[in-house]
Amino acid sequence: MASTVKETVSNLIDKLNLSSSDTRAPPKEPGPEELKDLKEKYAKAGQEQVFSFYDSLNSAERAGLYQQLSTIDPEYINRITQKALSPQPSAQEDKEAKIEPLPDSAVASVLDSRTEDIESWYADGLELISQNKVAVILMAGGQGTRLGSSAPKGCFDIGLPSQKSLFQIQAERIWKVQKLAEKKHGKSAVVVPWYVMTSGPTRGPTERFFEEHKYFGLQKENVVIFEQGVLPCISNDGKILLESKSKVAVAPDGNGGIYQALITSSILSDMEKRGIHHIHAYCVDNCLVKVADPVFIGFSASKEVDIATKVVRKRNATESVGLILLKNGKPGVVEYSEIDKETAEAKDPKQPDVLKFRAANIVNHYYSYKFLQSIPLWAKDLPHHVARKKIQYIDTEKGETIKPDKPNGIKLEQFVFDVFPQLDLKKFASLEVKREDEFSPLKNARGTGEDDPDTSKKDILDQGRRWLQAAGVTVVSESSDTAGVEVSPLISYGGEGLEFLKEKTIKAPAVIEKED
């Protein structure tokens, strides 16, 4: 299969146009024949309006627009737009779909698994890490717009006493798990490469942030920053929109764009050179994420699956989260809006005190490298979803910039879980973890009281206090609001290694950054 995959890659990249512009040399203005051919290509697709202002542009602008248009296949854009917008027979089928929890053979939970099983998964995962077979992919394309910041979300300081950013917290967890593997297996140079997927607006700021902070103690060559793809923005009548007279309006292709980006950015090639077998992928906005979690890696590897996903227990029947389950016999994600009240409130016959459908998706996944090698064989079949947006554009008849006050077009995106239904159930698994230990998303502005910087900060400080108390430390504070302790990932990855503080008393709030 590997040879088939390699033969398919170049064709797929050309067809899908989905790498963002990462220009290393100034584009050159095309010759007459090149321009003619491209104009005919767009005219044939009914998208000739993108050349409306071409003749009035200066040489650099014409070169830039030509280069951008050359990376887009207008016929392909027409097809995926039509497919996304057209009513599909499956829409009704979705409403009538048979949904079931994943079978017992595909799931496990750290809440009720035997201690020896969890310890075995941890040991197996740490051994794989020690063999340099584990890599991490971070999905970090979002900006902190809702948080009142235009910087990449990973740069955000949630208000910890140490003032560490999300990027720094996660980098230090990678550093620590490398050290744990080195110590356990007597190695001197364990490496977990970190592949950071950005978007057009966040790539430059992310690269600068890492450089300014010296990659947070990691080796520069082991932090690979790359960019997800983009797709043109489309008007409500199916036309490719221009952002300016010399530029097509584009938008990131969703977190499902990770699959194309791994190919177009040569990430899979880099993984192959490094001998990577197991990959952990997650989103930047979870401050509690266990990056390269040995338990998760060991669990997934032991089941020999292509994809595994971490889930947390749904808080209640009305929580607005997608669920990992079986849909018509295939693994997948069903959004909360697709489930009726009776189904949402149904109890598990085996555990009457918990919900039957409770496996909340937290976008925290495992992939085998072997599976990711097959991306070119199935990526073109993944669906695109429509997001109706207000999109600023140039009126191609009047040449004026229009700032709409209501949605005037669509952005097309893919979801990372769209590939799940293509898997044989034997190649898919799910691990339930404790929400308070592993999931605290940062979605909202400070002061909202839910999934905001204050709740993220509190969850880290509360976790630190629990770790210390479990290690025999007495934690005192003047009030419950200041009862937390920040334990640096450089000191402890998951609560281990705190014995040096046993029988001591620590007054919160506090930071444990050094062993002294």
Side-chain angles (χ1 to χ4, degrees):
M1 185 180 79
S3 61
T4 304
V5 170
K6 290 180 180 178
E7 290 169 5
T8 308
V9 170
S10 59
N11 293 334
L12 183 70
I13 293 173
D14 290 341
K15 186 173 184 177
L16 295 182
N17 79 48
L18 300 181
S19 62
S20 297
S21 56
D22 178 25
T23 309
R24 289 176 173 77
K28 295 181 180 180
E29 190 173 348
E33 285 301 314
E34 292 174 312
L35 180 60
K36 179 186 175 186
D37 290 345
L38 192 63
K39 282 187 173 182
E40 288 178 352
K41 183 178 181 180
Y42 276 81
K44 184 178 179 182
Q47 299 285 5
E48 63 272 13
Q49 77 285 348
V50 296
F51 287 98
S52 294
F53 308 105
Y54 188 87
D55 293 339
S56 67
L57 304 177
N58 62 39
S59 179
E61 290 171 332
R62 287 197 294 269
L65 179 59
Y66 176 83
Q67 183 186 64
Q68 186 185 27
L69 292 174
S70 296
T71 67
I72 297 170
D73 179 347
E75 290 284 5
Y76 171 74
I77 298 302
N78 285 349
R79 285 197 302 275
I80 64 173
T81 300
Q82 184 63 31
K83 191 172 181 180
L85 287 173
S86 298
Q88 299 292 320
S90 61
Q92 183 62 29
E93 292 171 9
D94 282 347
K95 294 180 181 179
E96 301 173 356
K98 180 182 180 182
I99 61 172
E100 306 167 273
L102 290 172
D104 291 345
S105 60
V107 299
S109 172
V110 299
L111 281 69
D112 54 26
S113 289
R114 298 183 307 167
T115 301
E116 51 264 42
D117 287 337
I118 297 173
E119 290 176 348
S120 177
W121 294 332
Y122 178 86
D124 290 348
L126 202 63
E127 183 174 9
L128 290 169
I129 290 170
S130 77
Q131 295 168 353
N132 292 340
K133 291 182 178 180
V134 176
V136 171
I137 300 173
L138 167 60
M139 290 174 273
Q143 294 170 285
T145 308
R146 290 187 189 176
L147 310 175
S149 170
S150 61
K153 190 179 281 189
C155 301
F156 197 80
D157 170 6
I158 60 175
L160 291 172
S162 67
Q163 299 183 316
K164 291 178 181 178
S165 65
L166 292 172
F167 280 142
Q168 182 168 353
I169 294 167
Q170 293 163 23
E172 290 182 353
R173 286 184 186 140
I174 291 175
W175 181 89
K176 183 61 175 179
V177 82
Q178 291 175 163
K179 295 301 177 186
L180 289 172
E182 288 175 357
K183 182 177 180 180
K184 175 67 175 178
H185 293 280
K187 301 290 183 70
S188 60
V190 170
V191 172
V192 177
W194 198 16
Y195 299 96
V196 182
M197 186 176 80
T198 64
S199 62
T202 64
R203 181 170 187 167
T206 298
E207 290 175 333
R208 289 191 292 274
F209 194 76
F210 273 81
E211 289 168 0
E212 290 166 3
H213 292 85
K214 300 185 183 338
Y215 295 84
F216 308 105
L218 301 176
Q219 295 298 310
K220 179 179 179 179
E221 61 268 24
N222 297 323
V223 179
V224 182
I225 298 173
F226 66 109
E227 193 173 329
Q228 73 182 99
V230 296
L231 286 168
C233 298
I234 310 296
S235 69
N236 285 334
D237 57 358
K239 297 295 184 181
I240 294 174
L241 293 170
L242 290 176
E243 174 186 307
S244 67
K245 293 181 179 181
S246 60
K247 188 176 181 181
V248 172
V250 297
D253 53 5
N255 61 16
I258 185 176
Y259 302 118
Q260 301 293 352
L262 292 176
I263 299 292
T264 59
S265 299
S266 300
I267 300 302
L268 284 187
S269 298
D270 188 72
M271 289 182 178
E272 182 178 24
K273 292 175 184 175
R274 293 174 183 264
I276 299 300
H277 290 191
H278 311 276
I279 296 97
H280 178 212
Y282 70 97
C283 286
V284 72
D285 61 4
N286 179 12
C287 67
L288 292 180
V289 62
K290 288 187 173 181
V291 190
D293 177 17
V295 172
F296 189 38
I297 298 296
F299 163 78
S300 305
S302 71
K303 297 190 78 68
E304 298 182 344
V305 294
D306 287 333
I307 296 178
T309 183
K310 277 190 180 183
V311 300
V312 296
R313 192 163 291 184
K314 195 175 177 183
R315 285 194 186 109
N316 51 57
T318 60
E319 185 180 9
S320 302
V321 292
L323 296 173
I324 304 287
L325 41 65
L326 281 186
K327 183 175 178 180
N328 294 329
K330 294 285 188 179
V333 174
V334 172
E335 296 299 340
Y336 66 93
S337 57
E338 299 177 58
I339 299 177
D340 60 44
K341 185 174 184 290
E342 182 181 358
T343 303
E345 294 177 349
K347 298 295 185 178
D348 187 340
K350 299 176 184 177
Q351 302 180 68
D353 58 332
V354 299
L355 295 171
K356 178 179 181 180
F357 297 100
R358 59 183 180 273
N361 175 34
I362 60 173
V363 196
N364 193 319
H365 307 310
Y366 162 93
Y367 297 93
S368 71
Y369 175 75
K370 182 179 179 181
F371 175 73
L372 292 181
Q373 278 185 302
S374 71
I375 288 172
L377 300 181
W378 47 259
K380 64 182 183 299
D381 298 322
L382 294 186
H384 287 81
H385 306 273
V386 170
R388 298 193 178 275
K389 301 286 186 178
K390 292 184 286 187
I391 304 169
Q392 182 174 306
Y393 71 102
I394 291 287
D395 186 317
T396 54
E397 294 183 2
K398 299 178 182 179
E400 300 173 351
T401 297
I402 306 297
K403 296 182 178 180
D405 54 11
K406 60 182 180 180
N408 63 307
I410 64 171
K411 296 180 179 180
L412 297 170
E413 57 185 3
Q414 293 179 310
F415 299 148
V416 70
F417 55 73
D418 284 332
V419 71
F420 292 0
Q422 298 193 30
L423 292 178
D424 186 301
L425 184 54
K426 292 184 294 186
K427 289 295 185 179
F428 186 86
S430 177
L431 179 66
E432 182 185 59
V433 296
K434 294 180 181 179
R435 184 188 288 255
E436 64 268 28
D437 285 338
E438 300 203 34
F439 186 56
S440 180
L442 179 60
K443 304 289 186 184
N444 305 312
R446 181 171 271 111
T448 57
E450 183 175 325
D451 297 342
D452 69 6
D454 294 330
T455 59
S456 292
K457 171 186 173 181
K458 182 177 186 301
D459 287 342
I460 284 186
L461 297 182
D462 286 350
Q463 182 184 65
R465 185 191 70 249
R466 292 195 303 272
W467 286 354
L468 290 172
Q469 290 172 336
V473 177
T474 300
V475 179
V476 298
S477 64
E478 294 181 357
S479 72
S480 59
D481 292 337
T482 60
V485 179
E486 180 183 356
V487 177
S488 170
L490 301 177
I491 297 297
S492 182
Y493 177 87
E496 83 296 327
L498 298 174
E499 297 80 9
F500 69 98
L501 292 170
K502 187 176 182 180
E503 298 183 357
K504 290 188 177 182
T505 297
I506 293 176
K507 183 177 180 180
V511 182
I512 309 300
E513 191 76 52
K514 298 178 181 179
E515 291 190 28
D516 56 26

